[in-house]
Amino acid sequence: MAFQDFDHISERRRNERKQKERKRILIISVSVVVLLLIAASAAAVVVNKNQKESSHSSESDNPSSSSSSSSSSSSSSSSDSVKQVSKSQKAVKTICAHTDHTKTCEDSLSQEVASSASAFEPKDFMKAAVSVVAHSLNKAMDQSSKLKANTPEEKEAYEDCMTLLKDATEELNSSVSSAGVNNIKTILSNAPELNNWLSAVMSYQATCIGEFPDGELKSELEKTLTNTTKHTSNALAIVSELSAILETFNTPGNHRHLLASGSSMPSLDEDRLPTWMTAEDRRILKERAKEPHQDDPTPNVVVAKDGSGKFNSINDALAAMPENFQGRYVIYIKEGIYDEQVTVTKKMENVTMYGDGSQKTIVSGNKNPGDGVGFLQTATFVAIGKGFMAKSMGFRNTAGPDKKHGVALRVQSDHAIFQNCRMEGYQHTLYAQTHRQYYRSCLIIGSVDFIFGDAAAIFQNCIIHVRKAQDNQESTITAQERADKRETTAIVLHNSRIVPDDESGADKTDFKSYLGRPGKECARTIVMESDLGGLIDRKGWQSEGDFAIKTAYFAEFSNKGAGADVKGRVKWPGYKVIDKKEAEKYTVGAFIQGDSWLNQAGVPVHSGLLN
């Protein structure tokens, strides 16, 4: 090869090397620029993130977790999720601080928060609290179904208990639906409804356990229902303290304390009727009941013992009620004694029954535990369906004083109304079991704990006839059964009269009686603006030993009569002589929200206090 050819090759190779070096330098330069741009962007993200975290440091349990300068968009999202869970866990502690079973509350709500894919808001906590009760109750029912009852008494109690737990489950579903609204103001306005249903659920559990005789089965059941009872108590606490809880979150719309039982009273005129009522409404209310049936609605069916009606029995008339009936299903029951055990079921809503008078149209029975019948099954008449109303009828249990627990009337219906009715028995005459109930101008007769239960029940313008108890018993009018201090339940005797029953002698006071005793630890009974006869013992109230004297609430306000002197009353921590402001909390308008549903039913009512 000639040297000239070699020189040409060498020159070409040198040129190729220079070209490659220029490309390499260009690539390196571009790469450096790109890297610098990436670094600048990352720095901007970190600075912006740190600024945001600095302004919200109080909302994070671990502010140092975001100090990394090289976090990507995916790690930033993960960090936000962690912060949100941490924030929700803080909220759990704030909410559960209002409950009696704090650890149970924190554990259950923390699980709900951890399992949720979205951020929790105050309304979600409330819904979760109620949902936890439902889950726990379902589990308890499953476990209870495996328990074995041995004696006939246990078997009767077991059947009653399963019925009560089923009712609790169904009513919890309603509570969950109410809790699931999206507007805080709506939640607040629905709080009385939630309190009402949750109070009933608590009552069903307590009654279920109380049905059983002492023994291994009762102990097992108590253990099974322990968590459910705690969860229900916690849910009641959260709903009851919702306004205070919302304040801690600075939630708008929480300035009106709608949950307080002492909410402001409607303005009343000189006839003690709401001022917003029309002149026609006032006329109807003041003239009502001048003549038999003049204001009664046209009946859908008529019941008559003599065959003059469509049906001969009340049960047949109820069986003929169409499913999903719209409006009120009205049954007129003609004069006669109807020896049948009647139940207005949960599906039978807005049933109205009226008779020819409380001593003419009478539903009568005599079932009792002394004859081997379960306690709940002793009731002659049972009202469960919402909105039940009875007028001018009598309900009685003729089992007698030595048979125990002969229930004439058991009421589980919400918005139940009894007007001009008569309830007659001895021990446990009237079982005001659950929900909101109103009794107007009724006569209740009995001897021992004859007005009892865990309803929010107001007895207005009623006459209470006390029968003399047996020698080994004491006559007690009420035995309220509130099991938890946040249940919105009580027995309220307002503008009523307490006298000896005729068979004991109209004017005799040779036996002593008590206004009431605690049926459960947190029993609550109020007697106000009533006439108390001389048969009321000077102590006023009675208890077995020290049971519930610290946790119960017994109150009197502005009563009169020979038995109304409070100077000799019991000195229990739970007994109060209350003032007007406190008494207003237990009036029809405030306590059972009666201004709407009672006026709609056309029932004469005193919404507030008389004076």
Side-chain angles (χ1 to χ4, degrees):
M1 177 182 293
F3 285 110
Q4 185 178 3
D5 293 334
F6 181 81
D7 289 338
H8 285 304
I9 293 171
S10 298
E11 181 67 19
R12 186 168 65 249
R13 287 178 176 174
R14 281 196 298 270
N15 290 335
E16 288 176 354
R17 281 199 297 271
K18 288 181 180 179
Q19 188 173 6
K20 286 181 180 179
E21 286 179 3
R22 284 196 296 269
K23 287 182 179 179
R24 191 181 299 115
I25 291 170
L26 180 62
I27 291 171
I28 292 173
S29 300
V30 171
S31 299
V32 169
V33 171
V34 171
L35 286 174
L36 287 173
L37 289 173
I38 292 173
S41 299
V45 169
V46 170
V47 169
N48 185 51
K49 182 178 178 184
N50 286 337
Q51 287 176 342
K52 287 184 178 179
E53 288 185 352
S54 176
S55 63
H56 296 286
S57 60
S58 62
E59 297 178 2
S60 174
D61 282 337
N62 189 16
S64 62
S65 63
S66 58
S67 60
S68 174
S69 61
S70 60
S71 59
S72 65
S73 59
S74 61
S75 64
S76 176
S77 175
S78 175
S79 177
D80 289 343
S81 177
V82 170
K83 285 193 297 179
Q84 183 58 53
V85 171
S86 177
K87 183 178 178 181
S88 295
Q89 293 293 356
K90 274 191 172 184
V92 166
K93 288 187 174 294
T94 299
I95 290 170
C96 291
H98 294 267
T99 67
D100 292 337
H101 309 285
T102 307
K103 188 178 186 307
T104 300
C105 177
E106 290 179 355
D107 290 346
S108 60
L109 291 190
S110 294
Q111 291 178 10
E112 293 288 323
V113 168
S115 63
S116 176
S118 58
F120 255 54
E121 298 179 18
K123 63 180 178 61
D124 298 315
F125 286 107
M126 188 178 69
K127 183 177 180 180
V130 180
S131 297
V132 164
V133 183
H135 297 325
S136 179
L137 185 57
N138 287 330
K139 183 178 179 181
M141 284 190 69
D142 182 58
Q143 292 174 341
S144 299
S145 66
K146 300 173 185 177
L147 299 177
K148 185 178 180 180
N150 297 311
T151 67
E153 190 176 8
E154 285 183 340
K155 289 178 180 178
E156 291 283 359
Y158 182 81
E159 289 180 6
D160 286 348
C161 182
M162 291 300 101
T163 299
L164 290 168
L165 292 182
K166 181 181 178 182
D167 288 339
T169 302
E170 291 176 354
E171 293 181 12
L172 263 176
N173 290 334
S174 298
S175 297
V176 172
S177 298
S178 298
V181 296
N182 296 317
N183 184 281
I184 287 296
K185 290 183 179 179
T186 306
I187 293 175
L188 284 167
S189 64
N190 281 344
E193 297 298 317
L194 277 171
N195 278 325
N196 168 52
W197 295 107
L198 286 170
S199 294
V201 169
M202 177 65 79
S203 177
Y204 294 141
Q205 295 174 67
T207 303
C208 173
I209 295 170
E211 285 279 282
F212 285 85
D214 292 338
E216 184 177 346
L217 183 58
K218 183 175 183 178
S219 298
E220 285 295 320
L221 187 65
E222 285 180 321
K223 190 184 302 182
T224 301
L225 289 175
T226 294
N227 280 338
T228 308
T229 302
K230 288 181 178 179
H231 290 315
T232 309
S233 175
N234 287 342
L236 270 168
I238 291 170
V239 176
S240 299
E241 301 294 334
L242 188 56
S243 285
I245 290 171
L246 291 176
E247 285 177 4
T248 66
F249 289 99
N250 293 321
T251 304
N254 62 320
H255 303 294
R256 291 184 62 203
H257 292 267
L258 299 178
L259 312 190
S261 56
S263 56
S264 59
M265 299 300 300
S267 178
L268 305 177
D269 63 16
E270 65 273 11
D271 294 313
R272 307 303 298 172
L273 297 175
T275 54
W276 49 261
M277 291 185 68
T278 66
E280 179 63 14
D281 288 336
R282 290 190 180 87
R283 184 191 65 77
I284 291 174
L285 289 180
K286 287 190 286 186
E287 293 182 2
R288 182 166 297 279
K290 283 185 177 180
E291 298 177 9
H293 311 314
Q294 100 174 29
D295 295 319
D296 292 324
T298 301
N300 296 89
V301 293
V302 176
V303 178
K305 294 283 289 185
D306 61 9
S308 61
K310 185 174 182 180
F311 299 102
N312 295 330
S313 78
I314 301 170
N315 280 316
D316 287 344
L318 285 171
M321 180 178 176
E323 289 188 15
N324 303 317
F325 185 83
Q326 299 299 311
R328 283 206 160 266
Y329 188 72
V330 181
I331 303 174
Y332 166 39
I333 307 169
K334 288 188 175 183
E335 180 176 350
I337 297 176
Y338 295 81
D339 292 304
E340 53 181 315
Q341 196 170 23
V342 179
T343 299
V344 180
T345 68
K346 190 180 291 288
K347 292 182 180 180
M348 300 174 180
E349 295 190 359
N350 297 318
V351 172
T352 293
M353 293 184 184
Y354 67 91
D356 287 327
S358 63
Q359 296 193 75
K360 293 182 178 180
T361 299
I362 302 170
V363 189
S364 183
N366 63 358
K367 294 187 181 297
N368 63 89
D371 291 339
V373 179
F375 173 64
L376 290 184
Q377 309 309 317
T378 68
T380 301
F381 193 101
V382 181
I384 300 177
K386 183 178 180 180
F388 177 77
M389 182 175 181
K391 295 173 61 178
S392 303
M393 292 180 63
F395 309 90
R396 72 186 186 190
N397 189 308
T398 62
D402 57 341
K403 292 290 188 177
K404 302 191 314 179
H405 314 309
V407 179
L409 175 65
R410 176 164 72 90
V411 185
Q412 194 178 322
S413 167
D414 189 29
H415 291 178
I417 302 170
F418 292 84
Q419 183 181 353
N420 298 323
C421 290
R422 178 186 178 102
M423 301 83 177
E424 182 177 356
Y426 288 87
Q427 186 171 350
H428 289 164
T429 301
L430 171 55
Y431 189 5
Q433 186 177 355
T434 53
H435 298 304
R436 292 162 290 193
Q437 306 175 14
Y438 179 67
Y439 299 80
R440 172 80 179 190
S441 302
C442 292
L443 174 63
I444 303 104
I445 304 171
S447 59
V448 179
D449 300 346
F450 60 95
I451 302 175
F452 71 109
D454 194 22
I458 295 183
F459 298 80
Q460 197 171 77
N461 292 20
C462 291
I463 301 175
I464 315 296
H465 275 208
V466 185
R467 285 174 163 166
K468 186 175 181 178
Q470 293 184 299
D471 292 339
N472 61 341
Q473 295 177 313
E474 292 179 306
S475 295
T476 45
I477 297 169
T478 67
Q480 210 277 337
E481 298 183 337
R482 191 172 65 145
D484 187 275
K485 65 185 179 182
R486 291 187 179 86
E487 286 184 60
T488 54
T489 61
I491 290 174
V492 181
L493 305 183
H494 183 210
N495 191 34
S496 294
R497 192 157 57 94
I498 300 174
V499 296
D501 187 47
D502 290 343
E503 70 178 28
S504 301
D507 299 318
K508 292 182 179 180
T509 57
D510 58 349
F511 70 95
K512 293 295 182 181
S513 182
Y514 298 89
L515 294 172
R517 70 174 186 86
K520 289 286 190 298
E521 289 82 357
C522 297
R524 182 163 60 177
T525 302
I526 300 92
V527 182
M528 57 190 193
E529 297 187 317
S530 293
D531 190 339
L532 314 185
L535 76 163
I536 300 300
D537 188 88
R538 62 192 298 271
K539 293 192 299 183
W541 306 85
Q542 189 263 356
S543 180
E544 295 180 9
D546 293 336
F547 175 71
I549 64 174
K550 293 181 179 179
T551 53
Y553 180 93
F554 296 120
E556 296 182 57
F557 170 73
S558 192
N559 295 312
K560 62 182 180 180
D565 189 351
V566 297
K567 291 180 182 178
R569 291 295 195 249
V570 293
K571 306 301 180 184
W572 303 339
Y575 171 72
K576 314 287 182 185
V577 177
I578 58 178
D579 58 19
K580 184 175 181 179
K581 183 179 180 181
E582 180 73 8
E584 284 177 342
K585 295 179 182 180
Y586 302 102
T587 54
V588 169
F591 191 55
I592 59 174
Q593 301 83 49
D595 288 337
S596 58
W597 57 276
L598 287 171
N599 285 326
Q600 288 175 4
V603 179
V605 58
H606 288 297
S607 181
L609 295 171
L610 299 180
N611 299 301

